[in-house]
């Protein structure tokens, strides 16, 4: 296969994760969508129409397609492990949505399956792929600001009040903000701290009995290099921390502050879990209310709430258009050009791994370590104590 030939990608799951990656697949010439599978006939029909690709009703059929070179696994969390092993069994490289899996044993089996098959495993999108965090990491690694000492990361969103399937509100099935959102935040602070997490102390909040899973958490993380980090997240749809990022949202687009409370108002259209699931399906790819992502033009970089990195000689604040550097006597913005293609950093890693044989940063071992912290967060909150993380 020529190094310049696009990666031929098949997709497992045409839900929300796919719609968020779709502008990347459409805009990056290094990849080409050739096949997809989804249980919804309407989604399969739209994919076949949009991409002239094969559309299957099962993952088994998709991974058996010889045209598929790499599989993007965007199925619900509880299926990640099985779908990864299935792709590896058929010799397909894997791009996997977060969280990697729901248990460390599953992670180990996935890593072993990909290693045994000689295929690459890249886990993302997580927001630690985002250019502002990668730029902040590069500044730290350059040495001008000294070592990282402390990180503060927070995010307040309406996550819990977007239409959900039943398992998305069930922690045991991978629901709630820890599996879905802490996976982003932990990834970001691990990238910036540059060490291994050794200890976790956390508290979680589940404050709405009609949505019986964690909707909020706060956590302290200690690293083996002496750094520590505080993480706070709330998905209860009251304060919106994008207010502190100039009303640029997570996906890099401008937000209208007048839309406060829109998620809760929309959810009032559903009177039971079945109607809520229908409401979600209707707005997902292939559904009658589906709206494609806004045009990339004018978008800033994606990000995940306010983050401040305290180093020995400066504080760093990644923002949607770069990184603010606050030194001893002055501050300045290390500006990034606007992205031509959103999430192109994900394709950077996938393409470099498959076409150039280079090791990915966000490989299975990296994603396993993030899940280890997320599981420790849940355990710390349940047991009301510090959780020590063993080195592998």
């Amino acid at each position: 296969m020529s190094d310049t030939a696009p990666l031929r990608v098949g997709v497992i799951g045409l839900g929300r994760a796919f719609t968020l990656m779709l502008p990347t697949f459409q805009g990056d010439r290094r990849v080409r969508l050739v096949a997809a599978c989804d249980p919804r006939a309407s989604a399969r029909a739209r994919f076949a129409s949009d991409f002239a690709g094969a559309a299957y009703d099962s993952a088994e059929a998709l991974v058996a397609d010889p045209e598929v070179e790499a599989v993007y696994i965007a199925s619900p969390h509880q299926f990640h492990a099985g779908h990864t092993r299935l792709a590896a069994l058929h010799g397909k490289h894997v791009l996997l949505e977060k969280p990697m899996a729901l248990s460390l044993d599953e992670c180990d089996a996935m890593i072993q399956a990909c290693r045994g098959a000689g295929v690459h495993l890249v886990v993302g999108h997580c927001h630690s792929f985002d250019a502002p965090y990668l730029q902040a990491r590069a500044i730290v690694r350059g040495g001008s600001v000294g070592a990282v000492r402390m990180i503060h990361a927070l995010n307040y969103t309406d996550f819990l009040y977007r239409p959900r399937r039943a398992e998305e509100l069930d922690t045991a099935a991978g629901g709630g903000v820890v599996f879905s959102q802490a996976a982003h935040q932990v990834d970001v602070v691990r990238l910036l701290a540059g060490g291994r997490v050794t200890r976790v102390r956390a508290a979680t909040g589940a404050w709405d009995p009609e949505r019986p899973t964690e909707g909020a958490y706060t956590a302290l993380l200690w690293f083996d290099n002496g750094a520590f980090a505080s993480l706070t997240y709330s998905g209860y749809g009251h304060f919106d921390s994008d207010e502190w990022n100039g009303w640029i949202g997570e996906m890099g687009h401008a937000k209208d502050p007048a839309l406060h409370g829109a998620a809760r108002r929309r959810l009032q259209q559903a009177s039971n879990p079945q109607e809520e699931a229908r409401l979600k399906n209707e707005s997902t790819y292939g559904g009658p209310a589906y709206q494609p992502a806004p045009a990339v033009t004018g978008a800033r970089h994606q990000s995940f709430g306010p983050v401040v990195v305290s180093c020995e000689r400066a504080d760093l604040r990644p923002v949607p258009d770069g990184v603010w550097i606050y030194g001893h006597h002055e501050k300045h913005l290390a500006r990034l050009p606007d992205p031509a293609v959103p999430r192109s950093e994900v394709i950077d890693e996938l393409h470099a791994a498959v076409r150039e044989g280079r090791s990915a940063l966000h490989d299975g071992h990296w994603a396993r370590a993030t899940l280890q912290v997320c599981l420790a967060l849940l355990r710390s909150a349940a047991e009301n104590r510090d959780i020590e993380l063993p080195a592998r």
Side-chain angles (χ1 to χ4, degrees), residues 2 13 18 91 154 165 266 270 303-304 312 330 368:
S2 167
F18 167 72
L154 62 84
R165 299 183 306 274
R266 181 166 181 250
S303 60
F304 199 69
E312 291 174 313
E330 61 181 22
R368 182 193 188 278

Side-chain angles (χ1 to χ4, degrees), residues 254-269:
K255 295 176 70 171
D256 183 356
L259 295 178
H260 178 83
R264 286 176 181 264
R265 288 192 294 273
R266 181 166 181 250
L267 195 59
Q268 290 175 349
Q269 300 174 33

Side-chain angles (χ1 to χ4, degrees), residues 205-221:
W207 304 322
D208 185 343
E210 294 186 1
R211 307 185 83 70
T213 186
E214 295 83 15
Y217 62 81
T218 190
L220 285 174
L221 275 53

Side-chain angles (χ1 to χ4, degrees), residues 76 86 89 96 115 123 129 155 176 216 244 250 303 305 308 322 333-334 342 350-351 366 375 380:
L86 184 65
L89 181 66
L96 174 66
R115 180 190 299 121
V123 183
F129 281 94
N155 206 0
W244 292 345
E250 180 180 345
S303 60
V308 179
L333 175 64
L350 180 66
H351 189 273
W366 172 273
L375 294 173
S380 175

